[in-house]
Amino acid sequence: MIQITMPLNFLGTVYREIRQALVDMGEMFDLLDQPPDVRDTPGAPALQVKGGTVDLDRVSFGYDPARPILRDVSLRIGAGETVAIVGPSGSGKSTIGRLLFRFYDVTGGALRIDGQDVRDVTLSSLHGAIGVVPQDTVLFNDTIAYNIAYGREGASRAEVEAAARAARIHDFILSLPEGYDTAVGERGLKLSGGEKQRVGIARTLLKNPPILLLDEATSALDTQTEQSIQDELRAAGEGRTVLTIAHRLSTVVDADRIVVLEAGRIIEEGTHAALLARGGKYAAMWSRQRATSDEV
Ligand code: ATP
C-alpha cells in the first residue's frame, strides 16, 4: 500500500506545485495556455536564498529571436529593496517578471538570485522563493479559507486567519454567511476586485516568500480601496525584496528605486524625487499622468 500511495502523494505535490505556479502566474502573464518549455537541469540543487538579492546581468531576451524585447538590461535589486519598473506599454516590464520566474530563459546574460543562476536551480525551489501578487487573483470554486490556504499546503486555520488579518480581509470574511467556510468563485459568492486582491495578498503572506513580484492592478479600483491595497502591499513587502511592475505612476512614488524601461532598455533610474529633478522621460510621464488624472 505504501509503495502505491508514496508516488501518488508525490505526484499530487508536483501537480499542486505546477498548478499553483500557473495560477500565480496565469492571470499575471496570460500563460495558462502556454506551458513553459523550461526544465530542471539533471541534478540541479535547490535555490538557497540568503537575503534575496535579484541580479539581472546584461539580460537580453526575445520571444522570437528576430525581435529582441529586452536589450542588455542590468539591474540589481538588493535584499529587502523595493524596485518599481515603469515604462510605456510593450516596453518589456512584465517580461522581466516572466524571466525571474523562469517561464522563459534569457537569450543573453544571466539572471541570478543570491548569486545563483536561475537556470542552475530547481524550478520548484525558485517558485517557492517568489510570491506573486497578480493583477487579478484567480479564485477556485471552494471556500474562502481554501482559497487563502492555497498559499501554503497544510496551513492551519489559525495561520489562514492571521494572513487574512494582515491582508485586512478578516472582518469582511467574518461578515459572510458562513465565515471562512463561505463558498466563493464563479459558483459561489462573487468577490469584488479589491476583495479578490486581498485574498491574493493573504495567500502570498501565508506562503511567506523572500521575494515578491507585484503586478499592479490595471483594473479600476476606487481610490480609497486602491490606497488601502497599496498600504497592505507595502506592509507585505516589509523585509522582502520587491519587484513591482507598475502601470500607473501614482503607486511607485515610495519605491526605493524606479527603473524606466523603454523599448527593452533601461533609460533612467532613481528615486521619484531624483527622476523628477532630472526632468527626463519619467518627469514627462509624471506630468502627463497628473494632467490626465486631474481631468477625471
Ligand atoms: P504592458 O504595460 O502593456 O503590460 P509590458 O511593458 O509589460 O506592457 P510585455 O508584456 O513585457 O510589456 O511585452 C513586451 C513585448 O513582448 C510586447 O511587444 C509584446 O507584444 C511581446 N510579447 C509579450 N508576450 C509575448 C509572447 N508570449 N510571445 C511573443 N511576444 C510577446
Side-chain angles (χ1 to χ4, degrees):
M1 193 61 189
I2 287 174
Q3 277 145 323
I4 298 171
T5 52
M6 287 273 286
L8 282 181
N9 282 343
F10 173 69
L11 276 181
T13 308
V14 170
Y15 173 71
R16 267 182 77 97
E17 252 168 34
I18 292 170
R19 206 164 97 137
Q20 163 88 57
L22 289 175
V23 164
D24 284 350
M25 299 298 285
E27 285 292 305
M28 180 176 190
F29 298 142
D30 290 333
L31 282 171
L32 278 174
D33 52 352
Q34 193 184 319
D37 64 3
V38 169
R39 282 181 193 84
D40 286 353
T41 47
L47 173 71
Q48 301 291 327
V49 181
K50 290 143 211 153
T53 298
V54 173
D55 201 5
L56 280 82
D57 181 7
R58 309 197 62 179
V59 164
S60 297
F61 175 75
Y63 297 93
D64 172 348
R67 188 173 165 238
I69 299 293
L70 296 176
R71 305 153 197 256
D72 214 16
V73 171
S74 288
L75 170 66
R76 177 172 250 254
I77 311 168
E81 197 185 6
T82 293
V83 169
I85 303 183
V86 303
S89 178
S91 56
K93 302 181 295 290
S94 303
T95 301
I96 292 181
R98 291 177 199 131
L99 295 177
L100 176 62
F101 217 70
R102 210 184 156 213
F103 257 109
Y104 299 92
D105 278 331
V106 299
T107 43
L111 203 160
R112 299 187 195 92
I113 295 176
D114 287 337
Q116 301 145 84
D117 193 312
V118 294
R119 289 168 292 193
D120 296 339
V121 296
T122 60
L123 281 164
S124 62
S125 64
L126 177 70
H127 293 170
I130 304 170
V132 181
V133 180
Q135 287 192 18
D136 197 3
T137 296
V138 178
L139 293 180
F140 301 106
N141 285 307
D142 209 304
T143 64
I144 195 156
Y146 175 88
N147 271 283
I148 294 173
Y150 206 77
R152 201 179 75 225
E153 199 178 355
S156 69
R157 178 58 70 90
E159 289 168 324
V160 167
E161 287 188 18
R165 269 200 195 88
R168 290 206 223 145
I169 194 176
H170 174 74
D171 291 342
F172 163 78
I173 295 173
L174 289 188
S175 75
L176 298 176
E178 292 173 78
Y180 277 84
D181 297 317
T182 305
V184 294
E186 283 306 307
R187 277 180 261 130
L189 187 80
K190 304 267 189 302
L191 300 186
S192 73
E195 288 151 5
K196 276 206 284 189
Q197 208 161 15
R198 286 207 170 86
V199 170
I201 295 170
R203 224 182 239 171
T204 304
L205 288 172
L206 201 56
K207 182 173 172 181
N208 195 21
I211 299 167
L212 267 191
L213 185 54
L214 307 180
D215 192 16
E216 180 198 73
T218 40
S219 54
L221 296 174
D222 63 80
T223 319
Q224 207 182 341
T225 307
E226 188 189 314
Q227 192 52 54
S228 107
I229 296 268
Q230 279 306 318
D231 292 345
E232 267 94 84
L233 287 175
R234 205 170 299 125
E238 292 282 316
R240 303 178 210 268
T241 305
V242 183
L243 179 61
T244 301
I245 295 161
H247 303 278
R248 261 162 309 154
L249 302 187
S250 54
T251 55
V252 305
V253 174
D254 297 329
D256 296 322
R257 201 145 41 99
I258 299 166
V259 169
V260 184
L261 207 61
E262 191 180 75
R265 285 185 207 281
I266 294 178
I267 54 160
E268 284 176 16
E269 201 172 332
T271 60
H272 173 72
L275 288 173
L276 283 190
R278 189 188 155 118
K281 282 267 162 137
Y282 180 84
M285 281 165 68
W286 178 257
S287 52
R288 216 167 34 237
Q289 203 161 85
R290 292 299 295 242
T292 334
S293 58
D294 285 351
E295 282 164 18
V296 181

